[in-house]
Amino acid sequence: METERITIYDIAREAGVSPTTVSRVIAEHANVSAHTRKKVRKVIDQYHFTPSRIAQELLSKRSLTLGVILPGVTHPYYAEMFEGAYQEACRLGYTLILFCLPQNEPLSASLMDQIARRRVDGMILSGGIVEATPERELIPMLRTLRRSMPILTICPPLPDVDCINIYSDLSSSVRQSLRHLYNLGHRRIAFLGGSYESRSAGERELGFLDEMKKLDLPAVYRHEAGHTAEAGQLGVIKLLSSLTDQRRPTALICINDLVALGSLTQLHHMGIRVPEDIAVIGCDNQFFAPYTSPPLTTVDLHPAEHGRVAVQQLVAALTDEAMNFSQPRPAVLIIRESCGVSLGARRFE
């Protein structure tokens, strides 16, 4: 065969398989046997074959395009999630289109129409977008969208929606932080950040309250403070302003690393030492966490891995019958100096 004119049909003929099987091997779909995959790959490598995008679309009758809806990519968590999804989409031969909404802006019918016009094969929605949309509006929109494509949500499970769902074990993230602080001797532990109306924040809040109850500790130090560094600064002021030094918490669990960053800044301004006077733990394990002063103890929620897995599951749903399932991803505590681990277990007055 002439390598300049070789087509996917030539590869299929020489390998003794169908063109569809060759297409599945190229896209790395799971429903091809190891023997067949090896045989097709041998022919592909022999002729250094690279399929054209047009040929792949004609074979699959799909656009080879996926969509992802995020509340912007300026937040490091969502930027990392998008990067993971983008890299995996490229690896599997798909284009990834970003539909960007401002923070806390809900999904709209006009955006759904825009998605339909772009002919995407499947859609990924992040938790920030899902939570910003009232459930009475969200569920009908997702059901309508689901009739034309598979959907994957990255958030706590949604009721009554036929979609794939992956999510971090948010309750575990708080429980791990709380247990770690308890083992270091802390008994007055505060929870800072989020919104009580947010499902993900509410899940962490419930985890905090339940674990405090199990440890027989008073859950009196809680303050709703948003999700930004500025919110962390303001939250610390409001949390500590009415407390004497003897009554203030000795440890602070923040809903994310940005709130923790603002908290560290404000505690420094107030002359409160971290971790000697107050231990601080964040959540997300963002890129700046090792470089704060002191380096931030935090919980890794693996946003890039969420993005990669989301694309893998969505592509798999395009070739097999889409499944409705939820897949929790473990949260991992990353211990650094801000929690006071180097000081060892202590007794606080």
Side-chain angles (χ1 to χ4, degrees):
M1 288 186 289
E2 297 180 38
T3 56
E4 292 181 1
R5 299 181 181 178
I6 194 170
T7 68
I8 199 170
Y9 298 97
D10 297 320
I11 297 293
R13 191 180 306 111
E14 182 149 336
V17 299
S18 69
T20 301
T21 298
V22 176
S23 179
R24 287 175 175 170
V25 170
I26 292 169
E28 301 190 15
H29 293 160
N31 58 342
V32 180
S33 70
H35 173 74
T36 300
R37 189 183 303 276
K38 183 177 180 181
K39 182 169 59 173
V40 172
R41 274 290 170 199
K42 183 178 180 181
V43 179
I44 289 173
D45 294 342
Q46 179 182 345
Y47 293 101
H48 307 289
F49 172 68
T50 302
S52 73
R53 185 173 183 83
I54 294 175
Q56 286 182 281
E57 290 183 15
L58 289 173
L59 276 170
S60 64
K61 295 182 174 59
R62 296 194 297 267
S63 68
L64 299 180
T65 301
L66 304 175
V68 56
I69 308 177
L70 296 175
V73 290
T74 55
H75 191 293
Y77 180 86
Y78 293 114
E80 196 172 339
M81 181 185 293
F82 178 77
E83 179 67 16
Y86 177 79
Q87 293 294 341
E88 189 64 16
C90 291
R91 189 183 74 83
L92 296 178
Y94 281 77
T95 295
L96 188 65
I97 298 178
L98 173 63
F99 297 88
C100 205
L101 288 176
Q103 186 78 31
N104 298 323
E105 181 172 317
L107 290 171
S108 65
S110 61
L111 178 61
M112 295 296 103
D113 291 341
Q114 182 183 350
I115 291 170
R117 288 197 301 270
R118 297 300 294 267
R119 293 185 59 247
V120 299
D121 295 326
M123 181 59 61
I124 300 168
L125 296 92
S126 76
I129 295 297
V130 170
E131 291 186 358
T133 309
E135 203 166 283
R136 66 181 181 278
E137 301 172 12
L138 174 69
I139 302 303
M141 280 193 286
L142 292 186
R143 285 176 176 169
T144 299
L145 188 63
R146 178 64 188 88
R147 286 198 285 267
S148 58
M149 67 184 71
I151 298 173
L152 185 145
T153 56
I154 305 177
C155 65
L158 289 169
D160 305 321
V161 178
D162 178 25
C163 67
I164 305 166
N165 171 248
I166 60 177
Y167 61 98
S168 298
D169 189 345
L170 299 178
S171 177
S172 171
S173 72
V174 176
R175 292 175 190 273
Q176 289 183 60
S177 300
L178 189 48
R179 284 278 176 180
H180 178 66
L181 291 169
Y182 182 87
N183 290 335
L184 290 176
H186 295 277
R187 298 298 181 264
R188 300 195 303 274
I189 303 172
F191 183 79
L192 182 66
S195 167
Y196 297 149
E197 296 179 358
S198 164
R199 291 171 66 236
S200 63
E203 187 172 340
R204 299 183 212 197
E205 173 85 359
L206 290 175
F208 175 80
L209 294 174
D210 184 61
E211 197 67 21
M212 290 289 278
K213 183 177 181 180
K214 289 180 179 178
L215 296 172
D216 196 26
L217 298 179
V220 296
Y221 303 104
R222 307 194 326 268
H223 187 73
E224 182 179 11
H227 296 82
T228 66
E230 293 81 2
Q233 284 190 277
L234 186 59
V236 166
I237 294 172
K238 291 182 176 179
L239 180 67
L240 302 183
S241 60
S242 62
L243 300 175
T244 63
D245 290 353
Q246 292 73 29
R247 292 184 56 240
R248 73 185 180 199
T250 63
L252 184 59
I253 296 176
C254 299
I255 198 165
N256 65 22
D257 287 349
L258 285 177
V259 170
L261 181 63
S263 299
L264 289 173
T265 301
Q266 186 58 42
L267 289 170
H268 176 73
H269 290 335
M270 298 170 71
I272 299 174
R273 300 170 301 165
V274 176
E276 292 84 355
D277 300 326
I278 291 186
V280 176
I281 295 183
C283 186
D284 287 346
N285 195 31
Q286 292 303 324
F287 69 91
F288 56 80
Y291 308 108
T292 59
S293 181
L296 182 64
T297 295
T298 183
V299 179
D300 197 343
L301 298 181
H302 315 290
E305 180 66 13
H306 280 0
R308 285 191 290 270
V309 171
V311 169
Q312 291 168 5
Q313 297 287 2
L314 209 52
V315 170
L318 291 169
T319 56
D320 301 312
E321 184 176 351
M323 296 186 297
N324 178 6
F325 70 91
S326 291
Q327 180 181 8
R329 312 285 296 179
V332 178
L333 183 66
I334 308 296
I335 298 174
R336 300 190 181 98
E337 294 176 29
S338 70
C339 65
V341 66
S342 62
L343 302 175
R346 295 180 289 165
R347 292 191 63 180
F348 295 88
E349 297 300 326

